[in-house]
Amino acid sequence: MGKSSLKMKQLPFMAVVCIVMLFVVYRTLKYQSYQEEIDKQWNFREDEKASSETSGNLKGLPRGIIQATSDFELRPLWSPSSLRSKVSVYSNRNLLAVPVGIKQKHNVDAMVQKFLPDNFTIILFHYDANMDGWWDLNWTSKAIHITAQNQTKWWFAKRFLHPDIVSIYDYIFLWDEDLGVEHFSPSRYIEIVKEEGLEISQPALDPNSTEIHHRITVRARTKKVHRRVYELRGSTRCSEASKGPPCTGFVEGMAPVFSRSAWYCTWHLIQNDLVHGWGVDIKIGYCAQGDRTQNVGVVDSEYVVHKAIQTLGGSDDPTKVSNRQRTTPVQFLMAFRVIILFHLLTHSILTSFSCVLFTNQKHGVAAFDQRVEIRRQSTWELEVFKERWNRAIAEDKNWVNPFKSDKKRTRQRRKTNQFS
């Protein structure tokens, strides 16, 4: 009897506690909702302010005359009178942009010959400033040529492939010049990308390519497309639990293909002053317009051969590079680590002997290997990019990492499968 009366006395107390807890939860949720509304209004005001500033700069123009975008379409200086009133309508247009040097003229010619029949606009970035050697090719006059001495693909892309300029193109192919396209069809590739819903993609690499850096880029002979790789050996372990690069949601920087929306995001990711682009490929999945494990993939049925011919700062004789022993991914990683360690250990020594090296240069001896200097700068830029990414995350309090809870979702999915 005493126990039951005690329980009866505790019931009102428990009810009060529950009411208080519900009230606290209600107030917390209401406050969070209020904060979200404030943030939305603030962001809206910021966007509205930017928009008003832009429109304010255009207030001298009637709204209907404003053209907010442009393109790379070539238009003649003159045309027959019967065609002057006709306005060209562009549809299913795509863009191929390639950094080129005269030493790779033959390979670039073969590449462009593949793309031109499929209604591609061609833009060549001449990093060696040599344009005269290209005019004997029958398609040269149909291409856009941009020249800047000793600049990289990402430097050109940041300056000349602004989203407003390439907005008419469905897909942007930003490729290196040393890719063999004997087994590649641009039209079939685009069909596959559309069918699979890939916002960011690349053709697979032939296993016999001269150089392969990441296992995920290797062609799977029995598949049309793959989005992940399984690798249980080496320093990079890729399993079903892997939810990020380079196991899934990853393409390499040598032959990426972007949808219009993905390129809009990627262009803003490219750092204006970091020309080599190291580190961008790891973060490129954030521009996949959704789940990177689904919207980023490698197309196996349309593949290319990576010839790995060094260009900027490379040998004058391409055959010396292309005929060298093939490098496996593991060998490359080991060699890369040794090179970086060697650079760090010898940097002070090289600096100490700068006077001697300069004297040798005056007597005709090369002061330094340009490839070594390029690799050193690339590594430095990678660290700078990482620091900027981490700093941007720390400073942007409203940014939510869309892939942060991947592991939690995986664990929850496993639990669900166990009990189902």
Side-chain angles (χ1 to χ4, degrees):
M1 184 70 180
K3 291 183 178 180
S4 60
S5 62
L6 180 63
K7 290 182 179 179
M8 292 295 293
K9 291 179 181 179
Q10 289 178 342
L11 285 177
F13 175 76
M14 295 298 294
V16 171
V17 172
C18 290
I19 292 172
V20 172
M21 291 178 64
L22 288 172
F23 179 76
V24 171
V25 172
Y26 168 76
R27 293 292 297 176
T28 302
L29 293 175
K30 187 175 181 180
Y31 178 76
Q32 290 178 347
S33 177
Y34 174 75
Q35 285 296 114
E36 289 178 0
E37 287 296 324
I38 293 295
D39 291 340
K40 288 180 181 178
Q41 291 178 10
W42 176 259
N43 293 334
F44 176 77
R45 289 171 183 171
E46 289 293 318
D47 295 340
E48 192 177 44
K49 181 181 178 182
S51 177
S52 62
E53 289 178 355
T54 302
S55 60
N57 295 334
L58 301 174
K59 63 183 179 181
L61 296 175
R63 183 175 300 178
I65 201 65
I66 295 174
Q67 289 285 321
T69 61
S70 186
D71 56 56
F72 286 115
E73 298 307 304
L74 296 175
R75 292 166 175 84
L77 294 173
W78 60 86
S79 59
S81 58
S82 60
L83 299 177
R84 288 173 188 166
S85 61
K86 295 183 179 180
V87 178
S88 298
V89 178
Y90 301 104
S91 61
N92 299 321
R93 298 291 308 209
N94 302 289
L95 175 69
L96 171 67
V98 187
V100 301
I102 195 63
K103 299 173 187 175
Q104 298 304 316
K105 177 181 173 182
H106 177 73
N107 196 68
V108 173
D109 180 32
M111 186 185 302
V112 172
Q113 296 282 8
K114 280 271 188 174
F115 280 83
L116 274 178
D118 291 327
N119 204 28
F120 271 77
T121 296
I122 309 297
I123 178 169
L124 301 184
F125 300 132
H126 296 271
Y127 59 77
D128 61 355
N130 186 339
M131 282 184 57
D132 294 338
W134 295 83
W135 295 114
D136 60 326
L137 301 176
N138 57 9
W139 51 262
T140 304
S141 60
K142 301 176 184 177
I144 309 296
H145 300 266
I146 297 176
T147 300
Q149 186 79 34
N150 289 335
Q151 300 303 322
T152 68
K153 175 169 68 177
W154 300 106
W155 184 94
F156 282 108
K158 185 66 173 179
R159 283 148 185 83
F160 300 104
L161 299 185
H162 189 279
D164 289 345
I165 303 296
V166 299
S167 62
I168 72 166
Y169 304 109
D170 295 330
Y171 293 94
I172 292 91
F173 289 61
L174 189 59
W175 282 19
D176 288 354
E177 61 182 335
D178 60 343
L179 301 175
V181 292
E182 293 82 3
H183 308 285
F184 183 82
S185 167
S187 59
R188 287 200 299 268
Y189 183 91
I190 291 176
E191 288 178 5
I192 294 171
V193 166
K194 289 181 178 179
E195 290 173 1
E196 297 289 333
L198 298 179
E199 296 286 335
I200 302 174
S201 62
Q202 75 160 82
L205 301 185
D206 189 307
N208 294 321
S209 295
T210 304
E211 220 171 65
I212 295 175
H213 301 163
H214 299 280
R215 182 71 180 82
I216 193 172
T217 63
V218 180
R219 180 189 178 213
R221 298 181 184 275
T222 60
K223 296 181 179 180
K224 181 168 67 174
V225 171
H226 70 269
R227 293 175 171 84
R228 63 166 52 251
V229 68
Y230 300 94
E231 184 64 61
L232 301 179
R233 298 170 298 176
S235 58
T236 302
R237 303 295 179 92
C238 296
S239 64
E240 186 65 35
S242 303
K243 296 299 177 182
C247 301
T248 185
F250 175 81
V251 299
E252 199 172 357
M254 72 178 68
V257 179
F258 304 91
S259 70
R260 185 187 297 109
S261 300
W263 177 249
Y264 180 88
C265 173
T266 303
W267 185 90
H268 286 83
L269 177 64
I270 301 171
Q271 303 295 292
N272 193 61
D273 59 326
L274 305 182
V275 299
H276 289 283
W278 279 25
V280 172
D281 53 358
I282 296 294
K283 303 300 182 185
I284 216 171
Y286 287 91
C287 290
Q289 311 302 296
D291 186 355
R292 64 184 174 187
T293 64
Q294 295 300 316
N295 297 351
V296 180
V298 178
V299 178
D300 297 292
S301 57
E302 299 299 323
Y303 61 99
V304 296
V305 178
H306 183 209
K307 300 181 179 181
I309 302 174
Q310 296 176 355
T311 49
L312 285 175
S315 169
D316 289 337
D317 184 4
T319 59
K320 292 181 180 179
V321 182
S322 59
N323 290 335
R324 70 183 184 277
Q325 186 178 4
R326 292 188 178 92
T327 306
T328 65
V330 175
Q331 290 173 334
F332 173 81
L333 290 173
M334 294 178 62
F336 177 74
R337 291 169 183 159
V338 172
I339 290 173
I340 297 303
L341 179 61
F342 177 77
H343 290 167
L344 293 174
L345 293 174
T346 60
H347 178 69
S348 58
I349 300 175
L350 291 172
T351 304
S352 302
F353 284 96
S354 59
C355 294
V356 177
L357 292 172
F358 178 74
T359 303
N360 289 338
Q361 186 181 28
K362 291 176 65 177
H363 289 83
V365 180
F368 59 88
D369 184 350
Q370 290 179 334
R371 298 303 306 181
V372 171
E373 293 301 318
I374 289 174
R375 181 57 61 91
R376 182 178 289 121
Q377 180 174 338
S378 302
T379 306
W380 172 77
E381 289 190 3
L382 173 61
E383 295 305 316
V384 173
F385 180 80
K386 288 180 179 178
E387 291 175 4
R388 289 181 182 178
W389 179 268
N390 294 332
R391 184 169 64 248
I393 292 176
E395 293 175 352
D396 190 349
K397 303 301 181 182
N398 295 321
W399 184 74
V400 178
N401 190 338
F403 309 118
K404 189 175 182 180
S405 58
D406 282 344
K407 292 182 179 179
K408 293 182 180 178
R409 286 198 296 266
T410 301
R411 288 196 294 267
Q412 185 63 35
R413 192 182 301 114
R414 287 177 178 173
K415 290 181 179 178
T416 303
N417 293 337
Q418 287 177 357
F419 292 103
S420 60

